[in-house]
Structure formats: C-alpha cells, structure tokens
C-alpha cells in the first residue's frame, strides 16, 4: 500500500503532467502486475460495488472512536468526506501490516461483498487498525467509492505505453475494451499478440469545435456535412449475431437501448458502426433530458421504453466482418455504411442524412438546425480516415451556438426575497493545472424538477457555508452555453463569459471529465459571434413575428 | 451563587472586582490574557498582564500604554477579589485568569494549548469551580502530532524546495506561530531564514523577552547572497496572492495551522503543503485540561461551543455556551481566520 500511497500523493499534489506521468511509469514498472492492474482500475474511475451501507460505516467508526454518533456526524459535516473523517477520528492501531494494494483489495474489500453486517464490521475494524494513516485514507476512499484523483485516461494510456514500451494506440484501444483487473492485465494491454476482446469498441474519433472562418476550410465539395445531434455517442458492435452498444465513456449501454440492439443484431454482417443515439418520437428528436431517462438504470421500465422511443443515427463504419475500415477515406466508408444499414433502416436505425449545398447554403442550413432538432452541423473531410481521439483538422462541429463548455458546480448562493431558501445562483469551474478555477456564474436553464433535485443535493452537500453561499462538493457537471469569451482583469480566472446559462446537466460525466481552461482561452473571440437570425418564416407559429417581440 | 464573571456589551466582566477580561471596547480596567488582536485591544485606561508577555503587548498596544504586570501565580487584590495569572501555553506571556471571591473560584482560559512549545511556558491547569474554556478545535478530528514529526516534515519540505531551486514560503500568524516555527526549525535548516516585516517585529519582541531564536533577516533588507532560492520565508497568511511574494521567484507555499488537519481546507485555499501546527488545544487536550481543572461547570467559547457543551453535558458536567463576540483570531491589522 506504501507504493500506491506515494503514487497517490504525487498525482494529487502535482500540477505538472510530466511529474504525474513519471510517477505512474515508475509505479507500473516497479509494482507487482496485479497492483498495477488494480491501480489502473481505480485511476480510470472504475469502482467495485461492495454493498456496505454508509450508515453502518459511520456507526462502526463512531464506536471504534468511542464517541457518540452525533459527534461523528458533526465531525463528518466539518470534514465533508467520509473516508477522511474516519481517518482522522478512528485511533490508529499499534502495528501496521505491510501488504500491497492487491492484498488490501482482494483480502479486505472483496470479501465485503455478500458478507453479513457483522462480518463486514470485523473486516473494517481490523483494517482500520492495521493500515498506516495514508494507506488507511486511500483504503477508506476505495471502500466508500469516493476514490478520485486528477488523472485523465490519456495520461494513464501514456504512462502504460511508456512503462511497457508499447504503442499508445494499442494501449488505448485495449483500455477501451472490457477488461478485468488481474496479474495479466498489463501484458494484455501491451502485448502485440494478445488480441483485444473483439466485442470492444474502437477509440472514438472526436470532433473539435470550429473556430476559424468556414471559408478557410477550402472548397466545399471536399466536405461532407451532417446534422450534429444532441444525443449519446455510441459505437454499435455486432459480433456473431450479438449486439454490444458502447457509450463514449466505454460503458456498455446495450440494456438501456434494447430496441436498437435488436436491430443491430438483424444486420447481415459483423461490424462496428459509429453513430448517435437520440430519443425520437413521431419523427421528432426529443430533448436530451428525455433521453437521459433511459440511462443510469439496469432495467429500463416498460413505461419509459414506450414513452421515450430511441433511434441510432448511423454515420460511420469502422469495421465489417473483421476488416478494419478505419484507414479508408470517409467517402468509401460512407458507401459501405449505406449498403450495410439500408436493409434494416427504419425507426430504430437510420443513416445520418447528408446536408447538401455550398458554404452559404450550409450556413443557412446551420442557422435552421433547431428546426431539425439538431445543435448545428458536422463537417467531415471526405478523404479523412477514422482517427482516434480528438485530432483537429478533419472533423469539425459547427454548432449554432459555438460557445459551450462542460463545467463543474463548485458553489451555490441562496436567493433572496421570494427565492430565499432556494439555491438559485451557481458558480461553475473548469480545470486549470489540476485545480478547479471558477469561470462563470449562471442561474437559469434548469427545469423545475432539476432545480429541486439540485437544491436537495446542495443542502445535503455538507461543505462549508458563508452566509447565503454554500461550497458544493465538486462532482456535478453542467454544460454551460454562452455568447462569447473575452479577457478580463476583473475576473480571477482572467476571462469573462458573456451571458452564461446552464444548457444541461451532464449526469453522464464526472468532474474529472469537465473542460480544461485552455479550451476556454481558445474561444476568446477569434470570429465575430454569428447572430442567430430569427425571421418570420423560421417561426411561422410565433404570434406577431417579424416585429420586435419586446414591443408588444 | 452569583455569577462572578458575566458577558456585557464591553466584554467579560467581573462586577465584584469591577474589571474586564479581554474587553472588546475601551474600559477602565482590563486584564489581558495575551497579545492576539481579538484579545488585546487599545484604548483602555489601565491594563494588567503577565510580565512574560510585556514586550509583545508593548509592540501591540504601544510604548505608552498603561500596562501593569504580574508574575505567573502572583495575586492582585481588587475590591476583595483575588486575581492571578497562570500559564496558558498559547503564545509568549499568554495567561489564564483565575478570579476568586468569597471562596468561589472561576478561571477564564483565554486561548490555550497543552502541547509543547519552546517559546513559552507550558500550560498549567488550575483547579476551579467554573472554567471558561476556549473550544477552537473542539471536534475529535483534531488531534495534533508531536512537534518532532511536524518539525521533520517542515525540514524535508524546505530541503526539497532548496533542491529544486524554489523558495519555501511558510505562512503562519505573525505573533506566536511564526516564532514557534522559528524555534522548531532552529539552526538545522538548509538555508537562510527570511521574515516578513510583520513577523520580524514580533520576533524582535520575543528576543527582547529573552526567547532564543535562530538568526533571521528581514525581507525588506534585500536578497541574501546567492539569491532567494533555498531560503525559508516566514510571512503572515495575508500575503498570499499579493505582489509581495513575487520577488521570490518560484515558490512552494505552505500554511502552518491546525486547520490544515482537514485536506479540503488545504486544497480550497490553494496551498502546496499544509503543516498541522496549532497554538490551540486539540480535542484530547481540551478534555484533559477540563478534567484537570475539576470544574463542575464549564462555559465554552471561541469555536465549537455547541459541540463541546453537548459532549460535556452528556458526561455529566454542567456545560453551556458563553456568549461572546470573540469569533476567531485576528492578527493585528491583517484579516485572518483563527489559527
Ligand atoms: Zn490567541
Ligand atoms: Zn483567541
């Protein structure tokens, strides 16, 4: 556990990427392979469901510390983190055991699964006595499922590939697939011979926001334009008549979208399709929060299946019958895709329509994206291969509102007057050198139900409070939309966002996945902000359209 | 029995003796527990303090302030009330105030700690019927390590800074904490020790009082030979984020305070390191001292008032809050949270 504690301290305390990578590489090289596997498991944000009740953990800790439960709770409120509270309160034992990470997980955490509360208590109390302080802190973090440290998957990939002297692309691909921690994991990640699980997805090619002028992209006929949907990115894998749906977070979401899976199984070939899952009813795409009702549950209730029908909008084909298509140009992949999907195309799977036209026509189409229930246009270079990760140049997202970031909620303020007692004003932060830097306050954009839920979370968050302001545990990610970014000496972050508002709650993201500061800096107005044109034709149903609505 | 000490708008008042303890408004007679700004305020017609703390108090209240002093344990009589001061172990000259009238004994603790501190006398619990106790760190999460452990943590960090060509900026309250840190690191450090002017004036007062401290230089005197890198700079926390720290180049910032016990407090304030060093009693310390006074009644103030009162009540002690305006420590003109 010592080596893992040291690694954690470096990752947690350092703001320098190189230092973090060096620490990871050293750890992967020197520790037993099983420890490395568990480290990768937890560092990449995976958890183990142990089935220990939090209330029990608190009660046992209070008993061990020989203090009344209310005093433990007061302490927990002051600390704001259960693992740390236990660490500070429960007296340390006389002798510590020197076992490694794997032992502490496999002998002391895994046996908690399915154990009786009495057995669980024994394991916890023994472990608290036998761990040294820093090891105990980490073990408690793993126990309570709250282990988090500022390491991206990219960083882990780099470190593993460096430690194994294996190509990054290979490691990245293997890390995306289904794997279980174990002594063989490192070898599996790096070894050229061991094939990744065939049912695993390929690294996603990610588009970058378009910031340059559209005409800088060159002739229009070199590009393929499609709608940018507000859905869930998904790779649909068909293997031996079975379908596997993977989200971008490498999560298997097959169970959440059974009707899509059934259609994928009906395809005539094994394949990997890239596309977007959207909620779609009577030909209309539904808002993202409707789609989210399908997520986060192991079994989707019949009612939700009925009320929120979904569809896969297919736009790329990465593989067919074992042949890798990723190096083919997009235009060819598109041809194969159409051929493959056409026989089963319908309400559950459709081919992403191509938006035709020259640049000015596309610009007009883009302004009408909302009419088509899209966020804007995607521009893809027809000759481009399917790359891995966020590589600029070939795939651009050209959103109607180009200014969107994912930020973490860090602070909330109570309203006054009628809104007293309700947290109405929220502060959001993005990552900068490993810490969260507040960049904007926003107070609108959530539905009433979301507001209510968020309020309850903030109230129970238990972190410090100054007057009406409450510090919120940084774990909720929201997408903020705004009209522009400019430099500002008055703001601590150095930038000011124009008219920021909450565009949606990214329940699918954890804090570590929020945007980084350079993304904001890159938006500092290069192009004039394109005004959304609202004309009478666009909104035929708008009463009094064509005149200034505020004059009515 | 009548209340020997009670809170008025001016401060903690002894009616029988007609004097105040650490008043927050100007009064005729003030007994001062120690030199921290929320305890020693100017404008009173006369002050009584421990002789050990005189240079510090002079530095704080001015050379002309009408201060009378007594040695620890020496008794002063005022209208039939016996007043004596006893070491509180908080900072140099800090005192608990024992007040006796017609056989009833009260002790007002001021701020105290019962751990080791090379710069002041150790705390001596005093038997009393009513004990007015501070409760800054009155939660069981607060347990201090022995000074030796913290000392080597600080020295290791300083050495690491030196090896990486950085300045070790150690923040701590300029009165008390800074001098204790100086005495802790002693002459064993890997480089020169530089003081912020606010710290230096207090260190001067400590030296005048005869406390042995390692050699230091004031930041304003200019750069040491060979540059700032590798030196330990002692400054009050208020310098964080000000232009003052720019001249030192690359720095690693650490804060020495009991609050650093909680990881979140350290991270939110953006310190690179936090050293858990406090001049207040930790949880076991509070309970130990309260037990040693033998008090049948405890009035909690200054911090975790509700928690300490409830805990003691459940243990069968008559305990409750003492309403005061002391809400936390401030250090001179700097606005700082309690140390
Ligand atoms: Zn004090
Ligand atoms: Zn105080």
């Amino acid at each position: 556990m010592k080596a893992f504690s040291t690694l954690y301290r470096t990752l947690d305390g350092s703001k320098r990427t190189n230092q973090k990578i060096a620490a990871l590489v050293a750890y992967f090289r020197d520790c037993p392979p099983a420890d490395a596997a568990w480290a990768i498991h937890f560092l990449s944000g995976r958890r183990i469901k142990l089935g220990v009740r939090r209330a029990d953990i608190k009660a046992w800790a209070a008993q061990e510390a020989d203090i009344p439960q209310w005093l433990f709770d007061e302490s927990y409120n002051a600390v704001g983190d259960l693992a740390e509270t236990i660490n500070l309160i429960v007296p340390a034992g006389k002798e510590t055991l020197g076992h490694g990470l794997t032992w502490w997980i496999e002998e002391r955490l895994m046996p908690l699964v399915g154990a009786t509360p009495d057995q669980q208590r024994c394991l916890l109390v023994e472990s608290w006595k036998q761990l040294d302080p820093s090891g105990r802190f980490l073990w408690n973090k793993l126990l309570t499922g709250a282990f988090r440290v500022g390491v991206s998957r990219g960083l882990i990939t780099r470190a593993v590939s460096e430690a194994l002297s294996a190509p990054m692309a290979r490691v990245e691909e293997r890390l995306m697939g289904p794997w279980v921690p174990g002594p063989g994991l490192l070898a599996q990640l790096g070894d050229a011979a061991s094939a990744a699980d065939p049912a695993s997805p390929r690294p996603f090619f990610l588009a970058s926001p378009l910031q340059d002028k559209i005409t800088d992209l060159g002739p229009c006929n070199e590009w393929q334009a499609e709608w940018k949907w507000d859905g869930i990115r998904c790779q649909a894998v068909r293997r031996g008549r079975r379908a596997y749906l993977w989200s971008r977070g490498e999560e298997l979401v097959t169970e959440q979208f059974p009707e899509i899976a059934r259609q994928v199984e009906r395809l005539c070939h094994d394949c990997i399709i890239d596309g977007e899952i959207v909620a779609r009813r009577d030909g209309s795409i539904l808002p993202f929060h409707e789609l989210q009702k399908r997520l986060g549950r192991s079994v989707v209730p019949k009612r939700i299946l009925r009320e929120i029908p979904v569809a896969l909008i297919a736009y790329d084909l990465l593989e067919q019958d074992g042949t890798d298509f990723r190096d083919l140009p997009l235009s060819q992949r598109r041809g194969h895709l159409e051929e493959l999907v056409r026989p089963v195309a319908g309400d559950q799977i459709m081919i992403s329509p191509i938006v035709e036209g020259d640049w000015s026509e596309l610009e007009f189409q883009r302004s009408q994206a909302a009419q088509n229930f899209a966020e804007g246009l995607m521009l893809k270079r027809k000759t481009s291969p399917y790359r891995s990760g966020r590589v600029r140049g070939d795939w651009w997202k050209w959103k109607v509102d180009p200014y969107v970031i994912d930020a973490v909620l860090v602070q909330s303020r109570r309203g006054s007057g009628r809104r007293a007692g309700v947290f109405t004003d929220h502060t959001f932060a993005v990552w900068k050198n490993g810490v969260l830097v507040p960049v904007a306050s926003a107070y609108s954009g959530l539905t009433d139900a979301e507001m209510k839920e968020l309020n309850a979370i903030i109230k129970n968050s238990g972190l410090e409070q100054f007057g009406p302001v409450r510090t919120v545990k940084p774990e909720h990610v929201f997408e903020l939309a705004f009209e522009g970014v400019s430099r500002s000496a008055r703001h601590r972050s150095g930038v000011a966002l124009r008219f920021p508002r909450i565009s949606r709650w990214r329940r699918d993201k954890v804090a570590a996945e929020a945007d980084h500061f350079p993304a904001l800096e890159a938006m500092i107005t290069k192009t004039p902000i394109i005004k959304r044109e609202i004309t009478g034709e666009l909104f035929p149903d708008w009463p009094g359209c064509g005149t200034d609505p505020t004059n009515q | 029995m009548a209340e020997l000490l009670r809170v008025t708008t001016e401060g903690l008042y002894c009616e029988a003796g007609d004097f105040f303890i650490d008043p927050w408004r100007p009064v005729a007679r003030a007994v001062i527990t120690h030199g921290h700004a929320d305890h020693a305020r100017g404008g009173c017609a006369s002050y009584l303090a421990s002789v050990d703390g005189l240079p510090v108090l002079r530095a704080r209240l001015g050379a002309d302030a009408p201060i009378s002093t007594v040695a620890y344990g020496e008794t002063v009589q005022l209208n039939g009330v016996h007043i004596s001061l006893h070491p509180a172990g908080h900072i140099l000259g800090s005192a608990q105030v024992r007040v006796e009238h017609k056989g009833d004994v009260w002790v007002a603790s001021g701020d105290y700690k019962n751990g080791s501190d090379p710069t002041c006398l150790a705390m001596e619990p005093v038997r009393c019927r009513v004990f007015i106790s501070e409760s800054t760190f009155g939660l069981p999460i607060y347990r201090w390590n022995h000074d030796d452990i913290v000392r080597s943590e600080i020295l290791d960090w300083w050495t690491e800074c030196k090896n990486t060509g950085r300045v070790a900026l150690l923040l701590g309250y300029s009165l008390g904490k800074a001098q204790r840190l100086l005495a802790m690191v002693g002459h064993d450090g890997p480089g020169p020790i530089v003081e912020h002017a606010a710290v230096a004036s207090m260190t001067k007062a400590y030296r005048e009082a005869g406390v042995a401290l390692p050699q230091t230089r004031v930041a304003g005197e200019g750069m040491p030979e060979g540059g700032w890198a590798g030196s330990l700079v002692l400054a009050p926390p208020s310098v964080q984020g000000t232009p003052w720290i720019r001249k030192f180049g690359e720095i690693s910032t650490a804060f020495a305070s009991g609050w650093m016990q909680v990881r979140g407090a350290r991270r939110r304030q953006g310190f690179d390191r936090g050293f858990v060093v406090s001049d207040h009693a930790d949880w076991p310390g509070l309970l130990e001292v309260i037990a040693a006074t033998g008090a049948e009644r405890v009035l909690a103030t200054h911090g975790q008032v509700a928690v300490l009162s409830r805990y003691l009540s459940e243990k069968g002690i008559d305990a409750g809050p003492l309403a005061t305006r002391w809400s936390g420590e401030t250090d001179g003109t700097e606005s700082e949270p309690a140390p």
Side-chain angles (χ1 to χ4, degrees):
Chain A
M1 203 70 171
K2 268 231 159 59
F4 188 61
S5 302
T6 312
L7 171 69
Y8 174 82
R9 208 174 313 126
T10 313
L11 296 178
D12 188 48
S14 173
K15 292 166 190 160
R16 302 172 195 192
T17 307
N18 284 342
Q19 219 170 13
K20 289 187 184 188
I21 293 200
L24 282 166
V25 171
Y27 183 79
F28 293 145
R29 276 196 184 138
D30 300 341
C31 73
D35 282 16
W38 278 114
I40 294 169
H41 179 90
F42 286 110
L43 288 170
S44 53
R46 297 186 182 200
R47 308 202 175 138
I48 342 176
K49 277 218 174 67
L50 297 169
V52 188
R53 293 180 55 232
R54 275 175 84 83
D56 284 344
I57 299 179
K58 290 180 185 175
W60 299 330
Q63 286 158 19
E64 266 321 283
D66 196 21
I67 55 169
Q69 192 65 47
W70 68 263
L71 187 51
F72 182 89
D73 295 340
E74 286 283 349
S75 303
Y76 172 53
N77 282 343
V79 176
D81 175 76
L82 184 55
E84 189 182 357
T85 310
I86 295 169
N87 218 33
L88 294 174
I89 269 190
V90 175
K94 286 186 187 66
E95 269 174 70
T96 54
L97 292 180
H99 295 291
L101 179 63
T102 303
W103 191 90
W104 283 108
I105 291 168
E106 293 180 359
E107 301 296 322
R108 287 301 171 81
L109 284 180
M110 306 297 265
L112 292 167
V113 182
T116 66
D118 275 344
Q119 293 165 329
Q120 291 182 335
R121 188 198 155 132
C122 268
L123 283 163
L124 260 58
V125 169
E126 278 295 287
S127 303
W128 287 336
K129 284 184 184 153
Q130 294 163 342
L131 280 156
D132 66 282
S134 53
R136 184 161 81 159
F137 172 70
L138 289 175
W139 190 82
N140 284 336
K141 283 279 193 188
L142 301 179
L143 168 73
T144 54
F147 179 82
R148 240 169 248 125
V149 67
V151 183
S152 63
R153 202 178 63 215
L155 225 69
I156 298 172
T157 309
R158 271 174 70 184
V160 171
S161 87
E162 208 172 301
L164 299 173
S165 312
M168 281 233 328
R170 185 192 299 159
V171 174
E172 186 179 10
E173 189 164 320
R174 305 265 163 90
L175 268 175
M176 286 201 73
W179 48 263
V180 285
L185 177 65
L186 269 190
Q188 181 193 332
L189 294 177
D191 188 0
S194 88
D197 188 297
S200 64
R202 301 294 171 246
F204 285 85
F205 184 14
L206 306 175
S208 305
L210 182 68
Q211 278 137 11
D212 300 328
K213 274 213 278 305
I214 191 71
T215 43
D216 291 349
L217 293 181
C220 185
N221 59 13
E222 289 178 5
W223 295 85
Q224 170 176 316
E226 299 166 58
W227 295 111
K228 165 143 188 26
W229 307 105
D230 190 12
I232 292 167
R233 183 78 180 271
C234 169
Q235 279 187 27
V237 181
R238 181 188 186 271
R239 280 284 171 267
R241 290 173 199 283
R242 284 212 50 189
Y244 307 84
L245 304 180
W246 293 93
S247 77
R248 230 193 84 193
E250 328 159 27
E251 248 174 291
L252 211 44
V253 291
T254 321
E255 308 286 313
Q256 278 72 48
F257 306 104
E259 63 270 62
I260 294 176
R262 271 197 306 277
Q263 284 305 98
V264 170
E265 282 162 6
R266 287 186 52 217
L267 291 165
C268 301
H269 300 272
D270 278 357
C271 59
I272 301 178
I273 292 172
D274 188 10
E276 193 93 1
I277 294 178
V278 294
R280 186 169 177 275
R281 188 167 54 213
D282 307 326
S284 303
I285 310 277
L286 305 177
F288 187 76
H289 61 85
E290 293 289 319
L291 180 62
Q292 273 181 323
K293 292 180 186 162
R294 284 284 188 109
L295 297 175
R297 20 175 136 230
S298 46
V299 180
V300 184
K302 284 230 167 64
R303 187 178 57 81
I304 301 276
L305 285 177
R306 203 170 48 239
E307 286 175 7
I308 305 162
V310 293
L312 173 69
I313 302 181
Y315 44 67
D316 216 321
L317 183 61
L318 314 190
E319 200 182 297
Q320 187 168 318
D321 293 328
T323 310
D324 196 334
F325 283 179
R326 285 177 292 176
D327 285 332
L328 295 181
L330 171 65
S331 50
Q332 283 189 37
R333 298 201 304 275
R334 171 86 190 188
H336 290 297
L337 176 75
E338 288 176 6
E339 221 167 283
L340 172 75
V341 173
R342 203 173 294 125
V344 301
D347 278 345
Q348 278 81 42
I349 300 188
M350 56 198 69
I351 299 165
S352 170
I354 289 180
V355 184
E356 306 282 357
D358 58 12
W359 285 137
S360 67
E361 169 66 14
L362 288 178
E363 196 144 13
F364 172 71
Q365 291 288 349
R366 171 176 152 277
S367 71
Q368 301 208 54
Q371 291 284 83
N372 291 291
F373 313 101
E375 295 180 292
L377 290 177
M378 292 292 305
L379 299 173
K380 300 174 181 174
R381 197 187 293 278
K382 287 179 181 167
T383 55
S384 64
Y386 188 92
R387 301 180 189 276
S388 100
R390 199 181 297 282
V391 184
R392 293 167 62 86
D394 286 339
W395 276 25
W396 298 106
K397 42 187 173 190
W398 192 25
K399 290 199 190 181
V400 173
D401 184 345
Y403 299 104
V404 171
I405 48 159
D406 288 333
V408 185
L409 174 65
V410 291
Q411 200 180 68
S412 295
R413 174 186 284 273
R414 280 183 210 275
S416 52
R418 201 171 53 84
R419 314 236 63 181
V422 184
F423 290 96
T424 51
D425 202 349
H426 309 287
T427 304
F428 298 89
V430 297
W431 294 103
K432 186 177 189 181
N433 300 327
V435 294
L436 283 167
V437 184
V439 291
S441 281
Y443 46 86
S444 63
L446 291 175
T447 65
D448 286 354
E450 286 174 323
M451 279 269 277
K452 227 172 149 185
E453 196 190 337
L454 185 61
N455 257 281
I457 289 173
I458 296 166
K459 278 197 187 116
N460 295 328
S461 137
L463 291 187
E464 61 189 0
Q465 189 169 4
F466 294 106
V469 177
R470 173 78 63 109
T471 303
V472 184
K473 246 191 246 175
E475 47 192 19
H476 302 282
V477 180
F478 292 83
E479 184 184 79
L480 301 184
F482 43 94
E483 304 296 333
V485 194
S486 51
R487 293 220 179 268
S488 161
R490 281 189 309 115
H491 292 76
R492 218 181 79 191
S493 61
V495 296
L497 272 56
R498 230 158 63 83
F499 303 126
R501 60 210 176 262
I502 303 165
S503 50
R504 61 178 152 142
W505 193 335
R506 296 297 307 252
R507 292 170 203 265
D508 54 326
K509 288 198 164 189
V510 296
E513 292 173 280
D515 275 309
H516 289 252
F517 196 74
L520 261 185
E521 279 183 314
M523 293 181 193
I524 291 174
T525 318
K526 276 188 192 159
T527 44
I529 296 151
I530 299 156
K531 270 199 209 136
R532 230 177 293 184
E533 284 180 36
I534 299 173
T535 66
E537 279 161 42
L538 257 177
F539 296 98
D541 298 330
W542 194 335
C545 199
T547 61
D548 182 357
T550 54
N551 279 343
Q552 291 169 40
Chain B
M1 219 174 295
E3 299 286 72
L4 193 47
L5 293 173
R6 63 186 165 86
V7 177
T8 72
T9 48
E10 280 81 25
L12 185 60
Y13 182 54
C14 175
E15 191 170 352
D18 191 21
F19 65 90
F20 287 84
I21 298 172
D22 293 349
W24 42 75
R25 286 191 187 162
V27 297
R29 275 193 293 271
V31 180
I32 300 298
T33 62
H34 66 288
H36 278 147
D38 60 330
H39 297 262
R41 290 168 199 259
C44 294
S46 71
Y47 294 93
L48 182 72
S50 80
V51 68
D52 290 40
L54 187 62
V56 169
L57 226 48
R58 284 254 173 262
R60 272 283 150 97
L61 298 176
D64 307 329
I67 306 172
S68 312
T69 59
V70 285
Y72 286 126
E74 195 182 330
T75 302
V76 173
Q77 277 205 45
L78 261 179
N79 309 328
V81 176
H82 298 254
I83 307 164
S84 55
L85 304 183
H86 304 267
H90 177 55
I91 62 169
L92 178 62
S94 65
Q96 313 171 67
V97 185
R98 181 184 184 276
V99 182
E100 182 178 352
H101 184 57
K102 292 181 181 164
D104 192 15
V105 180
W106 288 51
V107 170
S109 75
D111 294 338
Y112 68 89
K113 72 165 175 288
N114 49 346
S116 72
D117 184 340
T119 64
C120 66
L121 283 183
M123 201 268 177
E124 287 172 16
V126 179
R127 304 285 297 179
C128 56
R129 186 179 70 85
V130 183
F131 185 51
I132 300 173
S133 177
E134 69 131 311
S135 58
T136 309
F137 291 107
L139 278 174
I141 50 173
Y142 296 110
R143 293 162 199 270
W144 313 146
N145 274 324
H146 194 272
D147 270 10
D148 289 347
I149 295 177
V150 189
R151 178 177 169 277
S152 53
E153 281 175 5
I154 295 176
L155 288 173
D156 288 351
W157 162 72
W158 183 3
T159 308
E160 188 193 312
C161 288
K162 187 187 161 80
N163 293 344
T164 50
R166 285 176 298 168
V167 164
L169 174 63
L170 181 54
L171 306 177
Y173 299 94
S174 39
L175 168 56
K177 181 65 60 64
Q179 291 72 35
R180 181 177 169 202
L181 293 169
L182 270 177
M184 272 168 76
V185 297
H187 307 282
D188 305 338
I193 304 175
V194 179
E195 288 180 306
H196 183 274
V199 172
S201 71
M202 291 302 147
T203 302
K204 185 165 161 272
Y206 265 57
R207 289 200 172 107
E208 278 167 24
V211 179
L213 294 173
Q215 203 196 344
T216 55
R217 56 187 299 147
V218 183
E221 288 167 4
M223 201 161 64
E225 265 174 63
W228 296 109
S231 51
L232 178 77
V233 177
L234 277 170
S238 52
V239 303
Q240 210 199 3
T242 68
W244 185 81
I245 55 176
R246 279 192 210 135
K247 64 179 163 199
F248 298 114
E250 244 205 285
I251 53 172
S252 170
T253 311
F255 185 29
S257 161
W259 301 113
M260 294 298 97
Q261 177 88 334
V262 175
R263 205 167 154 268
R266 193 164 69 235
R267 292 178 68 89
R268 272 195 297 281
Q269 296 177 69
F271 300 119
D272 297 313
R273 295 290 296 268
F275 298 112
V276 185
V277 191
S278 177
D279 291 324
H280 294 269
D282 60 1
W283 174 256
L286 289 169
L287 301 184
E288 197 180 299
V289 167
I290 288 167
T293 63
E296 60 186 52
R297 185 169 162 212
V298 174
L299 296 169
T301 175
H302 234 85
Q304 295 288 347
V305 171
V307 169
L308 186 63
S309 307
R310 178 171 173 189
Y311 184 82
L312 294 173
S313 300
E314 288 181 4
K315 295 276 171 205
I317 294 174
D318 176 11
L322 175 81
T324 72
R325 280 183 18 183
W326 296 310
S327 55
E329 206 84 86
T330 54
D331 185 357
T333 51
E334 309 126 12
S335 67
E336 295 172 359

